[in-house]
Amino acid sequence: MRSASGLQGRGGRRTPGGSLALAPPGRVSGRAGAGRSVPGRGPQEITEDNMEKKPQEGRKGPAHRGVPPVVGLLLGTALMNALLYLYLNRFFISPPRAAVDPTHCPYGYFRMGTMKNCSPWLSCEELRTEVRQLKRVGEGAVKRVFLSEWKERKVALSRLTSLELKDDFLHGLQMLKSLQSRHVVTLLGYCEDDNTILTEYHPLGSLSSLEETLNLSKYRNVNTWQHRLQLAVDYVGIINYLHHSPLGTLVMCDSSDLPKTLSQYLLTSNFSIVVNDLDALPLVNHSSGTFVKCGHRELHGDFVAPEQLWPYGEDMSFHDDLMPSYDEKIDIWKIPDVSSFLLGHVEGSDMVRFHLFDIHKACKSQTPAERPTAQDILDTYQKVLNSLRDTTVSQTREML
């Protein structure tokens, strides 16, 4: 902060010693333009000549007047508008997220948080000696997840729940190793001998708790349709990545209902989404005619795609061997329901739903081949996000 300088008082000045010296007779110090000294003359006798001169003298040195209130008001309004423009540019027109993860490391290495360099995945010995388990924070059919600590950093340690599910556990580990990207939770290390996997910890948890998180006072500023639509863009981006992964076309099978689907994804501290659970990602190969079936039990409800339902009616009991297989278009069917959850019911979310109506209607086609690709949906989402954001900024600026 700048320190305010002392003001010289009327009719006096400060001496080097700090005392106040009175001005000599005939000199009056004050504000500039408030008067002038006449050297060598004392008080004048009031005469008609003097009275005639004073108006002329006053015209020679007009007093400086303060800034009129209306001018100050206009300047303040202009400053507020400028600040609002900067806010709009930052809030509504946020820069697109990088296509390549800035924390990307070569295969077998990781970097997270404030780490400057990539480190190799932690080995069994390092996991046993350097990682301190704190408390259990989650559990699924295949893994139990424990909040842990490694070198004063919070991490997530996953342990196999049952040896009967080790194949699923190892499949999920292989997917984590092969699919490391900005779409997937960061792998920090693993130990097959101990059936443990170490990943980056995200304190906001899974997408299942999104509403509770956004209702907290410190996150209400991001509880807007813009941020929620960006989450939907992230989600569709993950599905698109899985459908075009380095391993081929992968299907997200752990998605028999909305709560189960949401539990597969984590909300990061910068309000983006990463997929966390990759235990059930079968591969589709259209060229060789290889399709998938998600599990060995009968599925029910409107959330799953029609081709995932038992096609032979109630008169015939379900038999897994008779159940037809399907492809990645089952993920497309579920996108409108997941996106509707992500959009919530904040101001502007219905406007977004209106603009997404056509693409969502296409996603719900009873014929899988007629559904759009994940890339088609991603392009549409991004186009709607940019268009609505630009329109909102333009309308707000016109109001200023």
Side-chain angles (χ1 to χ4, degrees):
M1 296 178 59
R2 298 190 315 179
S3 60
S5 60
L7 296 177
Q8 182 176 318
R10 289 178 176 266
R13 57 184 178 86
R14 290 286 179 182
T15 65
S19 60
L20 182 64
L22 296 176
R27 288 184 68 92
V28 179
S29 62
R31 292 178 300 171
R36 58 191 179 92
S37 60
V38 183
R41 296 184 63 182
Q44 294 181 346
E45 185 179 2
I46 299 177
T47 64
E48 292 183 1
D49 292 339
N50 290 338
M51 294 180 66
E52 292 177 357
K53 290 179 181 179
K54 284 184 179 181
Q56 297 175 0
E57 292 175 342
R59 285 194 294 268
K60 291 181 181 179
H64 289 296
R65 297 180 180 177
V67 178
V70 66
V71 176
L73 181 62
L74 291 174
L75 290 175
T77 303
L79 179 60
M80 289 178 62
N81 285 344
L83 293 174
L84 185 56
Y85 270 72
L86 294 175
Y87 170 78
L88 290 171
N89 286 332
R90 180 176 180 180
F91 184 79
F92 288 106
I93 314 180
S94 54
R97 292 176 181 170
V100 179
D101 185 1
T103 62
H104 177 71
C105 293
Y107 181 82
Y109 290 78
F110 73 92
R111 179 171 55 198
M112 66 172 181
T114 58
M115 292 176 61
K116 295 182 179 180
N117 301 315
C118 295
S119 296
W121 288 336
L122 302 184
S123 64
C124 288
E125 182 63 25
E126 290 171 317
L127 288 176
R128 293 166 186 158
T129 59
E130 298 180 11
V131 177
R132 184 166 65 97
Q133 184 173 301
L134 300 177
K135 64 178 181 178
R136 188 170 70 179
V137 292
E139 181 172 354
V142 179
K143 302 185 295 288
R144 292 188 184 93
V145 184
F146 297 86
L147 172 63
S148 304
E149 194 173 58
W150 172 72
K151 293 186 177 181
E152 300 183 351
R153 301 174 187 272
K154 294 295 188 293
V155 292
L157 181 66
S158 299
R159 296 185 180 276
L160 176 64
T161 57
S162 171
L163 290 176
E164 297 176 354
L165 299 171
K166 185 164 184 175
D167 287 344
D168 291 334
F169 183 83
L170 293 179
H171 174 76
L173 173 58
Q174 184 58 45
M175 293 295 103
L176 270 177
K177 293 163 63 177
S178 303
L179 299 176
Q180 285 295 288
S181 69
R182 69 184 180 91
H183 299 293
V184 179
V185 68
T186 302
L187 176 65
L188 310 180
Y190 63 92
C191 180
E192 293 187 25
D193 294 340
D194 297 342
N195 300 311
T196 56
I197 300 173
L198 192 70
T199 56
E200 184 176 6
Y201 175 67
H202 293 284
L204 295 182
S206 76
L207 282 184
S208 303
S209 57
L210 176 66
E211 289 301 325
E212 291 81 356
T213 299
L214 291 178
N215 284 331
L216 296 175
S217 57
K218 62 180 178 179
Y219 296 127
R220 285 176 184 168
N221 64 313
V222 294
N223 191 16
T224 63
W225 69 260
Q226 292 93 343
H227 287 91
R228 285 175 170 270
L229 180 52
Q230 183 61 61
L231 289 178
V233 171
D234 289 348
Y235 165 69
V236 177
I238 292 172
I239 297 299
N240 186 55
Y241 175 69
L242 294 179
H243 289 182
H244 299 87
S245 82
L247 303 176
T249 303
L250 300 172
V251 180
M252 177 59 79
C253 264
D254 261 345
S255 56
S256 56
D257 54 46
L258 181 59
K260 179 66 173 176
T261 302
L262 297 173
S263 70
Q264 311 303 303
Y265 302 89
L266 296 175
L267 183 64
T268 70
S269 297
N270 66 343
F271 280 86
S272 60
I273 299 176
V274 292
V275 62
N276 178 56
D277 196 335
L278 303 175
D279 298 337
L281 284 180
L283 183 67
V284 167
N285 189 325
H286 288 275
S287 299
S288 63
T290 303
F291 300 98
V292 303
K293 289 190 286 186
C294 294
H296 304 284
R297 294 178 294 182
E298 183 178 2
L299 298 175
H300 302 275
D302 296 331
F303 184 78
V304 296
E307 60 269 30
Q308 291 185 270
L309 302 175
W310 177 244
Y312 302 115
E314 298 179 357
D315 296 336
M316 183 182 293
S317 299
F318 176 82
H319 292 281
D320 185 44
D321 293 340
L322 299 177
M323 181 68 197
S325 56
Y326 32 81
D327 62 12
E328 75 278 6
K329 290 302 182 74
I330 66 168
D331 290 334
I332 303 300
W333 172 274
K334 301 164 187 174
I335 285 177
D337 298 292
V338 177
S339 291
S340 182
F341 170 83
L342 296 176
L343 289 173
H345 298 284
V346 297
E347 182 179 357
S349 61
D350 288 340
M351 170 188 63
V352 176
R353 287 185 178 90
F354 174 79
H355 284 82
L356 297 178
F357 177 83
D358 289 340
I359 192 71
H360 283 173
K361 182 179 178 181
C363 292
K364 293 295 187 178
S365 173
Q366 294 290 319
T367 305
E370 294 178 355
R371 296 171 200 157
T373 65
Q375 184 65 60
D376 293 334
I377 304 170
L378 183 60
D379 292 342
T380 300
Y381 274 37
Q382 194 64 62
K383 182 179 179 180
V384 169
L385 176 60
N386 294 338
S387 174
L388 291 179
R389 213 158 38 181
D390 292 345
T391 300
T392 302
V393 173
S394 176
Q395 290 176 345
T396 305
R397 286 177 172 172
E398 289 176 359
M399 294 171 60
L400 298 178

